[in-house]
């Protein structure tokens, strides 16, 4: 992976991210102003030519003792299809190894309470983008920053608000429950309201959340999501994938039913149809 030196603004290649200390910037792209790997590696490039977001991110990380930072816009050579594919397949690991993930929210002021459901924080565009889903879940520590780079809170301090906004369990956000314990359908539901610029990224941004690695082929369109589903079926014994798109009243019940079914018949896949029938019966009876 390529890391940006927060002092010299030079890129350094690191073969094994687990052997180096670094932080990560999570942000929403502004296509018109983002700067590429080529800009950051230009021998004639001056520091003042870097955009404000990169300079401010480096300054913030540097002030907190971080020498290196990873920023997706400028730390991936997107002209190389091989490097791009490797990066997209490795992002889950990169976020796992990062000491902290700084989340920059340019649409959030620093003088308001982030807790209310109608706050600028809760309504931030960051919560509606596809790639930011794993950037929220995977890092151990997320620090949320306002448009003026002031700290709004951490993932831990804002967990209740984030869980309400995203539908993601607090125990998952705080790493108190393993991701693989959540049904496939429920994990898919976390991405249902999120958007990506490229249609293929609807699938690629979810690979890490399912432990999937597969070639990335920009231009394949919706076939990318079909390939993702095929890989999930090969690797994860969870028939809830077939429930994707159905209206499930309570995904927590679905998770519990899948675990119960698998326990009752060791070595067998949970029968989603039976689970659904049982659930509909139990809820109608209780009412």
């Amino acid at each position: 992976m390529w890391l940006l030196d927060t002092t010299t603004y030079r890129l350094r290649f690191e073969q094994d991210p687990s052997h180096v200390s670094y932080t990560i910037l999570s942000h929403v792209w502004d296509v018109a102003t983002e700067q590429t790997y080529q800009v950051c590696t230009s021998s004639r490039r001056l520091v003042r030519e870097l955009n404000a977001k990169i300079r401010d991110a480096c300054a913030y990380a540097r002030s907190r003792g971080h020498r290196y930072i990873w920023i997706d816009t400028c730390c991936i050579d997107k002209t190389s299809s091989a490097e791009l594919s490797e990066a997209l397949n490795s992002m889950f690991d990169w976020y796992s190894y990062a000491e902290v993930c700084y989340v920059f929210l340019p649409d959030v002021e620093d003088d308001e309470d982030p807790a209310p459901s109608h706050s600028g924080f809760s309504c931030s565009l960051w919560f509606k983008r596809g790639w930011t889903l794993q950037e929220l879940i995977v890092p151990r520590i997320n620090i949320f920053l306002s448009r003026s780079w002031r700290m709004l809170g951490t993932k831990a301090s804002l967990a209740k608000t984030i869980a309400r906004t995203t539908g993601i369990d607090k125990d998952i956000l705080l790493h108190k429950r393993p991701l693989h314990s959540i049904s496939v359908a429920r994990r898919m539901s976390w991405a249902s309201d999120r958007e990506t610029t490229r249609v293929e990224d609807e699938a690629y941004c979810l690979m890490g959340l399912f432990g999937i690695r597969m070639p990335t082929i920009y231009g394949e369109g919706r076939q990318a999501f079909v390939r993702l589903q095929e890989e999930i079926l090969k690797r994860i014994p969870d028939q809830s994938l077939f429930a994707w798109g159905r209206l499930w009243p309570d995904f927590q019940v679905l998770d519990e039913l899948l675990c119960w079914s698998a326990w009752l018949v060791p070595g067998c896949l949970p029968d989603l149809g039976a689970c659904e029938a049982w659930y509909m019966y139990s809820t109608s009876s209780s009412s």
Side-chain angles (χ1 to χ4, degrees), residues 202-265:
E202 293 176 358
Y204 302 158
C205 72
L206 297 178
M207 291 189 297
L209 297 183
F210 295 102
I212 300 299
R213 290 180 182 269
M214 66 184 195
T216 58
I217 310 170
Y218 283 99
E220 68 175 326
R222 300 288 178 186
Q223 181 62 25
F225 204 87
V226 174
R227 288 199 297 123
L228 175 68
Q229 291 177 304
E230 290 173 347
E231 291 298 321
I232 291 174
L233 284 173
K234 291 177 186 177
R235 299 169 184 269
I236 304 177
D238 179 353
Q239 291 184 21
S240 74
L241 176 62
F242 301 120
W244 179 236
R246 298 184 189 179
L247 180 61
W248 272 91
D250 190 334
F251 278 105
Q252 182 175 354
V253 173
L254 172 59
D255 287 337
E256 292 171 354
L257 288 173
L258 290 170
C259 292
W260 171 82
S261 177
W263 171 81
L264 186 63
V265 186

Side-chain angles (χ1 to χ4, degrees), residues 30 99 124 177:
D30 180 349
E99 288 193 356
S124 174
R177 181 179 178 183

Side-chain angles (χ1 to χ4, degrees), residues 6-258:
T6 59
T7 300
T8 67
Y9 302 99
R10 298 296 180 185
L11 287 169
R12 163 189 168 179
F13 183 76
E14 184 64 41
Q15 187 66 47
D16 187 347
S18 67
H19 291 168
V20 63
S21 174
Y22 65 96
T23 183
I24 279 182
L25 177 70
S26 176
H27 61 118
V28 174
W29 282 32
D30 180 349
V31 178
T33 62
E34 298 300 347
Q35 290 179 314
T36 64
Y37 168 88
Q38 281 68 32
V39 170
C40 289
T41 54
S42 172
S43 60
R44 293 180 295 178
R45 186 262 298 163
L46 300 176
V47 172
R48 65 174 177 270
E49 293 175 342
L50 291 174
N51 66 28
K53 187 193 300 186
I54 292 177
R55 286 187 280 107
D56 290 344
C58 285
Y60 192 89
R62 186 173 62 247
S63 70
R64 280 144 184 83
H66 300 289
R67 180 175 179 182
Y68 297 106
I69 188 170
W70 186 83
I71 306 175
D72 55 359
T73 51
C74 63
C75 291
I76 303 174
D77 182 0
K78 300 175 184 66
T79 64
S80 168
S81 58
E83 179 170 329
L84 178 59
S85 184
E86 181 180 357
L88 297 186
N89 277 279
S90 302
M91 279 191 184
F92 188 94
D93 292 336
W94 293 355
Y95 279 94
S96 298
Y97 292 131
E99 288 193 356
V100 60
C101 176
Y102 293 118
V103 180
F104 176 55
L105 306 177
D107 54 354
V108 179
E109 303 289 349
D110 54 59
D111 58 353
E112 69 168 284
D113 182 3
S117 58
H118 59 275
S119 68
F121 176 80
S122 297
C123 298
S124 174
L125 182 61
W126 189 85
F127 289 111
K128 295 298 183 181
R129 302 301 294 171
W131 282 105
T132 59
L133 177 59
Q134 73 171 355
E135 294 166 15
L136 169 63
I137 293 174
V138 181
R140 292 167 296 168
I141 302 172
N142 290 72
I143 295 180
F144 294 88
L145 306 170
S146 70
R147 64 185 304 169
S148 56
W149 295 88
R150 294 182 182 275
M151 181 175 169
L152 298 165
T154 66
K155 180 163 61 173
S157 68
L158 296 170
K160 182 176 180 180
T161 299
I162 296 170
R164 184 191 64 230
T165 300
T166 63
I168 302 171
D169 316 60
K170 283 178 62 177
D171 284 350
I172 291 295
L173 293 172
L174 301 180
H175 294 198
K176 294 181 178 180
R177 181 179 178 183
L179 190 57
H180 64 75
S181 69
I182 301 295
S183 68
V184 170
R186 191 172 188 181
R187 277 179 271 179
M188 285 284 191
S189 75
W190 296 338
S192 62
D193 292 330
R194 293 173 179 257
E195 300 177 350
T196 59
T197 302
R198 299 290 296 270
V199 65
E200 295 87 354
D201 284 334
E202 293 176 358
Y204 302 158
C205 72
L206 297 178
M207 291 189 297
L209 297 183
F210 295 102
I212 300 299
R213 290 180 182 269
M214 66 184 195
T216 58
I217 310 170
Y218 283 99
E220 68 175 326
R222 300 288 178 186
Q223 181 62 25
F225 204 87
V226 174
R227 288 199 297 123
L228 175 68
Q229 291 177 304
E230 290 173 347
E231 291 298 321
I232 291 174
L233 284 173
K234 291 177 186 177
R235 299 169 184 269
I236 304 177
D238 179 353
Q239 291 184 21
S240 74
L241 176 62
F242 301 120
W244 179 236
R246 298 184 189 179
L247 180 61
W248 272 91
D250 190 334
F251 278 105
Q252 182 175 354
V253 173
L254 172 59
D255 287 337
E256 292 171 354
L257 288 173
L258 290 170

